[in-house]
Structure formats: C-alpha cells, structure tokens
Amino acid sequence: MMLVRNVVVLMLLVTVVAPIILYTDRIGTFKSASSRNEFIEEVTSFTFSGDAGRLNVLPQESSATLKEPIGLVYTDNTTKEGVEHKSARVLSATTDDSQAQKENPIRQVTDGNNQGVQSGISEKSTVAGENEVGRKGKIPKDEDGKVKVSKRSSSKNVAQNVEVKAEDQSSKTPVIAGKQETAKSGEGQNEQMAMPDARVRQLKDQLIRAKVYLSLPATKNNPHFTRELRQRIKEVQRVLGAAAKDSDLPRNSYERLKAMEQSLAKGKQIQDDCSAIVRKLRAMLHSTEEQLRVHKKQTLFLTQLTAKTLPKGLHCLPLRLTSEYYTLNSTQQHFPNQEKLEDPRLFHYALFSDNVLAAAVVVNSTITHAKEPSKHVFHIVTDRLNYAAMRMWFLVNPPGKATIQVQNIEEFTWLNSSYSPVLKQLGSQSMIDYYFRTHRANSDSNLKYRNPKYLSILNHLRFYLPEIFPKLDKVLFLDDDIVVQKDLTGLWSLDLKGKVNGAVETCGESFHRFDRYLNFSNPLISKNFDPRACGWAYGMNVFDLKEWKKQNITEVYHNWQKLNHDRQLWKLGTLPPGLITFWNRTHPLDRLWHVLGLGYNPNVNQRDIERAAVIHYNGNLKPWLEIGMPKYRNYWVKYVDYDHVYLRECNINP
C-alpha cells in the first residue's frame, strides 16, 4: 500500500511539477530574447547631436524573410582616368552573431571618424551582401521597377537615402575642386608659355599707374604716401632694368610686384575723384601715342637715310681700286674673251650697278652654280665715278672662265634728254625741288619715293636693253641686291609664249597689286588697268629682245613717261612704269626662281629661301649695311672674300 502511494506521488510530481519548471524556463528565455530585440530597437532610434542618421548602417531586422533594398554608394576612384565607380551595398538583417561581431557596426558608428563609416561599407560587406542576395533570391520590386520597402523600415530608408546623398556630395566635391585647381594651374602654365613677358608687362603697368597717382592732388596732399610710392617706383625700375622677358628679372621681382600692388591699393583708397584719374590717363595715352607717331616717323626717316648713305668701307673701296687702276698700263686694262660679248648662243646677263661689292657677289654666286661657266657673259654698266673701280675689281678677281664686260653709261651717247623723257624730267627744276628742299624731309609721307637712286639713269637703263645689246636675242636682267643659288641656264630655254618679260608674280600680298603703285583716281589709269591685277618683281627678269623690238616696248615706255610729267599717274621709281609698259606682256615664272623680301620681311619662309634659285634683298635692309637682318646676311656674306687685301685695307668686315 505504501508502495502504491509513493508511485502515485512520483507520477504527480512528474506530471505537475515538471511542466511548471519547463514553462518557467521558457518564460526566462523569451524575456531574454525580447530584451535583446528591445536593445536593438533602442540603438536604431538613438542619434548623436549634429550627425543624424549615422546609426542606420546597423542591421535592424532579425527576420530572414525581409530583405532590405540595395543602396547605391558613390565612391571616388582617384585613378588617372578620374572615373567614378558605383558599388552596391545590401543592408540585410542576419542572426549570425559571428558576422555581427566581425563587422561590429556599433564601433564603426561611434568611432567618430568618417573613414570608419566608409570601412563599414567596404568591399567585404559589398561582396557579402551580393552573396546574400544571391542565396535568398531577388529583391522584391513593384511594377515600376522600384524596390518594395516595408512600413517598419520606411523612416529608416529615408534617413539612409539622405546619408547616401551626403556621402556622394562629400566624396565628389573635393575631386571636382581639385580638377578645377589643376585646370586653372594648367591654364596659368599655358599663359606663361604663351606670354613669357607677362610679369614684365605687369611691372610696367604698375609704373604707369604709380606715376598717375603721384600726379593727383589727393596723393600730393599725403606726403607719407608720396614718399612710399616714390620708393616703390625706384624699386620696380631697378628690378625691371632692361628686362624684356620674365626670365631676365631678378629673384626678388615678385616681392617688389606685391609691394607695389599694396601701395597702389592704398593709393586707390585715398583717391576721391575718379574722373581726375580718367582724365590724367587719357592725357598720358594721347601723349604716348603722339610720341610713338613721332618716333615712327623719325625711325622711317633714319632708316631711309641709312639705306641711302654709303658706308665708309664701301666709299673707301672704289677709291682704293680707282687709284690702283690708273697705275696699270693700257695693255693691262682689258678683259679677255671680248669676242663672246655679242654671241647670241651664250648666256648673257645685264647688271646695272654703282656698288662694286654688290656686283661682285652677283657675279661670284652666279658662276659658283653655273654648270658651264665659259658660256656665261656678264655685261656690267656703271657710272663714271665707279667705272675704273669696277673694272679694276674684275681685272684683279676674274670670274673664272666666264666673260666680263664693264661699260660706262657716259659712253651711251644716244641716251640723252631729247631721246629719253625720263632724263628730261630728272633734270627739271620741279624734280630738283622735290629732292633737295630740306624741309620736305620731315613732312613728306612718301619718303621712300624720294630715294636719290631714282635720280640715277642707271635705274632706268632696264627700259633700253635692245639699244644697249642690239645683237642679242635674250638677256637675263639681274639687280645688284640678289644672290644666285642655282644654275640659271634653264631660263634661256623657257618659252615665253610671245611675251616680252618673264617674271615671278607677287600676288601673295595686297601691297604688290597694281592699286598700290598706280593712281587709279586718274581716268588714264582706271580705264586701262585692273587695280587688283598681280604685280611682278624686278630683280631677275628674262627679256626677249626680239619680241621687245617687234612690239616697240621702248616707245610704249616713253609715251607713259610723257603722260606722267607731273607725277600724277605714279610716284617715282621703275616698277610702276614697268607694270604699265609690260601690261599683258609678262609671262609668269615659277615662284621658286625668284624669292623676294629679304630686305624688309623678317618672316620669309625658310624652306622657300633654301629652294630658291635667286634670293632678293629688296627693301632698305641691304646685306652690306649694318641695318641688314642678320638671319639673312649669311646667304650674301659667303660670296665675299673678306681676307682680300682691298677689303682689309678699307676695314670691311662681315
């Protein structure tokens, strides 16, 4: 009986007490889990002052059925290409404690460092999130393709979007600014490369502004500022010196520039009358422009004067040669091969010059490049003063196997004022007044037309070639300011197609057209010629003397010279009457036969010069003058023997 009672009590304990104990244990477990979830919700709702939304990176959902939307985080990739890449981040909930401990998002948030936040969305979490999405399936989307978000997480997602935009803005802004700074610095470098004198100009501008301030009443009433400004002016002037570009400036130039700018800023503040400054600047500008105009006019006059003046060495040379010539006996004064002078089968050159050295360069350069020098004949005509000197030079320096003839223009008895209208005009009183009235030197705008070379009949002999060479068929006319660089014999075989003159046209520049040389306001000119017609160059011309005689070119020239007795059709010179005389009678040659501009144009194409058969120093900057351009001078100098005894005695140096 006792045994039965004990069994019953034991069964009651098992059936009653055990469930109570088990129920109590479950209640404790439930309470523990609930408290943990409440802690997570409290953390997610907790915010730091001034940094709202930073805690939203924490995983907030323990349910595996809800998947968070993908948030786009823009990270700046500072590669050379500067491309911004996008990476996806999945904020999915997980109950994996080890994963939570691994990422430890609370530390990332409370660390206070932006880099800690970025590390919370590093490549590891990105890859893990992508893998999680791959395991659990696609993210739910609505019909428009947008991610579905539950009501519980809607407020959290709004904060998340704000955070993503803020991160995107903060990450992009410094990169863009950096690019802008780089671009600005690049522009600055380009400006420095394009303008190597930028600082020099700025310093000069500061000097002008400082001088303007010194002249204003407000500055004069402030002696302290006046002394300061004068000191700054001296410093800037000392720094500038003769500097033409920034590299010429001393190291302290920037400090001086800054100091002057500060003083000018003070000066600007103390000025109370801006209109006075404007008036002063305008007056200075007008005065500077007037000075520039006067200096340009003086420069033009002095350049023309230098071009007309014979250097001492070139004056000494003909005197020295003349004295030597008259010490020779009569048998020593003759040139060999005189029987070739009238042979039309040979290559004949006409050269009219009173410059011994220039004529020597023309002959030397031509013979140097001639394939058959023995077939070349040079006919040199000079004036009475230089006749003996010219003959003596070529007697002492014969041009190899070539033939030389030197004539005196005084021997042409047929050339007189009754035959030549230009000779009659050159001796007229009006022409003498035009050239020799000294007060005209400062007032004549057409100073270049008053060159005394136009008074010399040597300049007009080119219109009388058939009279000078009656037995020749073709003549190559050369100026004395040219250099020959190739064999010219091909010019004699050119077919001029019935034209009289073979020349290179000068259409490339507007001032080489007819309207720049002829007066088209005169009806005689306007009705006979085209103002836009191409001019052509004297200096290397092939003349067909047979056609010349057939078309009576000399008479055409005389008729136009008579019509221009009062210089109303053109100014003085030989090119304008040449353009008229050979109008529709000129055959254009290839431009590389004759390249011009070495006496006035510093920008002649170098390749054209190297390829040219003849280069021409037309203009005032002749190579034998000190004003000649050095970059072109070597082409001429190499045909002069400066070791020659006569050149050394006359101190003629390269």
Side-chain angles (χ1 to χ4, degrees):
M1 193 65 181
M2 191 67 176
L3 180 62
V4 172
R5 189 175 58 181
N6 291 337
V7 171
V8 171
V9 172
L10 182 62
M11 290 178 67
L12 284 173
L13 289 172
V14 172
T15 57
V16 175
V17 178
I20 293 173
I21 294 171
L22 291 172
Y23 180 76
T24 305
D25 183 69
R26 286 183 63 100
I27 290 174
T29 305
F30 175 77
K31 287 182 177 180
S32 177
S34 299
S35 64
R36 185 171 68 235
N37 289 338
E38 289 174 359
F39 172 74
I40 292 173
E41 289 180 359
E42 289 175 359
V43 170
T44 58
S45 63
F46 182 80
T47 59
F48 291 99
S49 61
D51 195 11
R54 284 289 182 186
L55 295 180
N56 288 309
V57 297
L58 292 173
Q60 299 176 25
E61 295 293 332
S62 60
S63 174
T65 60
L66 181 63
K67 301 167 182 67
E68 292 289 335
I70 296 175
L72 295 180
V73 179
Y74 296 90
T75 59
D76 182 48
N77 187 357
T78 58
T79 58
K80 290 183 180 178
E81 293 81 1
V83 180
E84 294 182 354
H85 297 283
K86 299 178 181 178
S87 62
R89 182 182 63 177
V90 179
L91 301 177
S92 59
T94 178
T95 57
D96 189 352
D97 293 337
S98 63
Q99 182 71 16
Q101 291 174 4
K102 188 175 182 180
E103 293 183 357
N104 198 3
I106 295 177
R107 284 188 181 180
Q108 296 170 3
V109 174
T110 58
D111 186 62
N113 190 348
N114 290 338
Q115 188 175 357
V117 176
Q118 292 179 1
S119 66
I121 54 173
S122 63
E123 293 294 326
K124 277 188 176 182
S125 63
T126 302
V127 174
E130 290 174 352
N131 293 338
E132 184 70 20
V133 172
R135 289 194 303 269
K136 295 184 179 180
K138 295 182 179 178
I139 296 175
K141 298 182 181 180
D142 58 17
E143 294 178 356
D144 298 331
K146 297 180 180 178
V147 179
K148 290 183 178 180
V149 184
S150 65
K151 292 181 179 179
R152 285 183 64 186
S153 60
S154 60
S155 61
K156 176 194 69 175
N157 292 336
V158 171
Q160 174 190 338
N161 291 336
V162 173
E163 176 193 355
V164 170
K165 288 181 181 178
E167 288 176 359
D168 181 45
Q169 187 72 17
S170 63
S171 64
K172 285 183 179 180
T173 302
V175 176
I176 295 172
K179 288 180 180 177
Q180 289 176 348
E181 290 173 3
T182 305
K184 288 181 180 179
S185 65
E187 290 174 2
Q189 292 175 359
N190 291 338
E191 288 180 3
Q192 281 188 343
M193 291 176 64
M195 297 179 60
D197 59 344
R199 185 169 293 178
V200 172
R201 292 186 181 186
Q202 192 173 358
L203 288 167
K204 290 181 179 179
D205 289 344
Q206 285 183 337
L207 282 178
I208 294 173
R209 290 163 58 194
K211 291 177 181 177
V212 170
Y213 282 142
L214 278 178
S215 64
L216 297 174
T219 305
K220 293 178 180 178
N221 295 332
N222 191 330
H224 176 72
F225 177 69
T226 301
R227 286 194 299 272
E228 178 185 342
L229 200 57
R230 290 185 187 279
Q231 180 63 27
R232 294 286 181 261
I233 290 175
K234 290 179 182 178
E235 291 173 355
V236 171
Q237 287 175 337
R238 195 177 301 116
V239 164
L240 268 176
K245 52 184 182 296
D246 291 354
S247 58
D248 298 336
L249 295 172
R251 293 182 179 179
N252 64 341
S253 62
Y254 183 65
E255 287 75 11
R256 296 289 179 256
L257 187 147
K258 287 175 61 179
M260 174 62 90
E261 198 62 40
Q262 292 173 357
S263 298
L264 292 175
K266 293 180 186 177
K268 185 177 181 180
Q269 292 174 356
I270 67 174
Q271 304 303 326
D272 54 0
D273 187 3
C274 293
S275 60
I277 299 176
V278 173
R279 288 195 300 270
K280 187 67 177 180
L281 284 172
R282 285 179 177 172
M284 290 180 66
L285 180 63
H286 177 74
S287 175
T288 304
E289 288 177 345
E290 184 64 22
Q291 290 177 14
L292 178 62
R293 188 187 66 80
V294 172
H295 289 157
K296 279 185 175 180
K297 195 168 184 178
Q298 290 178 349
T299 301
L300 176 63
F301 177 76
L302 293 174
T303 302
Q304 294 284 347
L305 184 63
T306 304
K308 300 167 190 175
T309 304
L310 192 67
K312 183 187 293 185
L314 294 184
H315 180 69
C316 164
L317 182 61
L319 293 176
R320 182 77 176 83
L321 291 169
T322 299
S323 63
E324 289 289 330
Y325 178 76
Y326 287 113
T327 62
L328 302 176
N329 57 51
S330 57
T331 58
Q332 295 174 319
Q333 295 178 351
H334 299 289
F335 293 103
N337 304 321
Q338 295 299 288
E339 68 279 358
K340 295 182 179 181
L341 296 178
E342 297 180 348
D343 188 348
R345 297 170 298 177
L346 302 178
F347 308 125
H348 294 266
Y349 300 87
L351 177 61
F352 309 140
S353 175
D354 57 0
N355 188 325
V356 174
L357 198 59
V361 169
V362 174
V363 174
N364 290 347
S365 62
T366 305
I367 293 302
T368 299
H369 298 94
K371 294 180 180 178
E372 297 179 278
S374 60
K375 293 185 177 181
H376 294 258
V377 181
F378 294 88
H379 303 269
I380 301 175
V381 180
T382 188
D383 56 17
R384 179 173 56 184
L385 290 175
N386 294 281
Y387 173 70
M390 194 75 75
R391 289 184 69 88
M392 185 64 191
W393 177 267
F394 287 106
L395 285 170
V396 175
N397 304 282
K401 297 180 180 180
T403 302
I404 285 285
Q405 180 190 30
V406 178
Q407 295 176 279
N408 184 356
I409 194 173
E410 302 292 334
E411 298 172 0
F412 301 154
T413 55
W414 49 266
L415 188 60
N416 50 58
S417 57
S418 60
Y419 174 68
S420 172
V422 70
L423 270 179
K424 185 176 182 179
Q425 293 169 11
L426 290 176
S428 65
Q429 187 61 44
S430 63
M431 191 71 70
I432 294 172
D433 289 344
Y434 182 80
Y435 276 103
F436 297 107
R437 285 172 62 185
T438 55
H439 69 276
R440 295 290 297 274
N442 294 324
S443 59
D444 191 356
S445 60
N446 295 320
L447 187 62
K448 64 180 181 179
Y449 296 116
R450 302 178 62 249
N451 195 320
K453 71 178 183 180
Y454 299 134
L455 287 173
S456 173
I457 192 59
L458 281 175
N459 203 46
H460 297 267
L461 277 183
R462 62 194 69 189
F463 294 103
Y464 298 101
L465 292 175
E467 287 82 0
I468 300 172
F469 310 112
K471 296 184 179 181
L472 300 181
D473 297 334
K474 272 189 177 181
V475 167
L476 183 61
F477 171 78
L478 298 176
D479 267 343
D480 62 358
D481 55 353
I482 62 102
V483 171
V484 178
Q485 299 188 128
K486 293 184 179 179
D487 181 41
L488 301 180
T489 54
L491 291 170
W492 275 268
S493 60
L494 285 177
D495 181 10
L496 297 182
K497 299 179 180 179
K499 306 294 185 181
V500 178
N501 175 26
V504 172
E505 291 184 334
T506 55
C507 301
E509 299 171 85
S510 60
F511 61 85
H512 280 154
R513 297 187 183 273
F514 270 46
D515 59 349
R516 302 297 295 177
Y517 296 100
L518 305 176
N519 179 18
F520 276 86
S521 63
N522 191 296
L524 278 175
I525 298 295
S526 59
K527 73 180 182 181
N528 286 289
F529 306 103
D530 178 9
R532 306 303 299 162
C534 289
W536 46 266
Y538 262 132
M540 191 216 69
N541 307 80
V542 181
F543 288 107
D544 187 335
L545 300 186
K546 285 186 176 181
E547 284 293 332
W548 186 308
K549 295 172 186 176
K550 187 186 297 184
Q551 299 181 31
N552 200 11
I553 297 300
T554 303
E555 188 61 29
V556 173
Y557 166 69
H558 283 172
N559 290 336
W560 281 105
Q561 280 287 358
K562 291 175 183 176
L563 292 171
N564 193 46
H565 63 92
D566 55 357
R567 297 189 303 281
Q568 294 302 308
L569 305 184
W570 69 85
K571 296 295 182 179
L572 296 178
T574 54
L575 183 56
L579 295 176
I580 289 178
T581 302
F582 296 103
W583 169 253
N584 290 330
R585 300 180 178 93
T586 299
H587 175 73
L589 302 180
D590 187 283
R591 58 188 298 268
L592 290 180
W593 277 112
H594 186 193
V595 171
L596 300 99
L598 279 73
Y600 70 89
N601 182 8
N603 300 312
V604 179
N605 188 290
Q606 189 68 29
R607 190 163 178 264
D608 287 348
I609 294 175
E610 300 293 341
R611 296 167 59 197
V614 171
I615 54 175
H616 194 169
Y617 293 84
N618 56 314
N620 288 323
L621 309 181
K622 303 299 184 186
W624 55 83
L625 299 176
E626 290 185 4
I627 60 174
M629 285 183 275
K631 63 185 296 188
Y632 303 141
R633 185 176 171 82
N634 288 335
Y635 296 106
W636 188 86
V637 165
K638 63 183 179 181
Y639 296 105
V640 180
D641 181 12
Y642 287 98
D643 292 329
H644 196 284
V645 59
Y646 293 143
L647 299 188
R648 291 203 313 268
E649 289 177 355
C650 290
N651 199 26
I652 298 176
N653 301 305

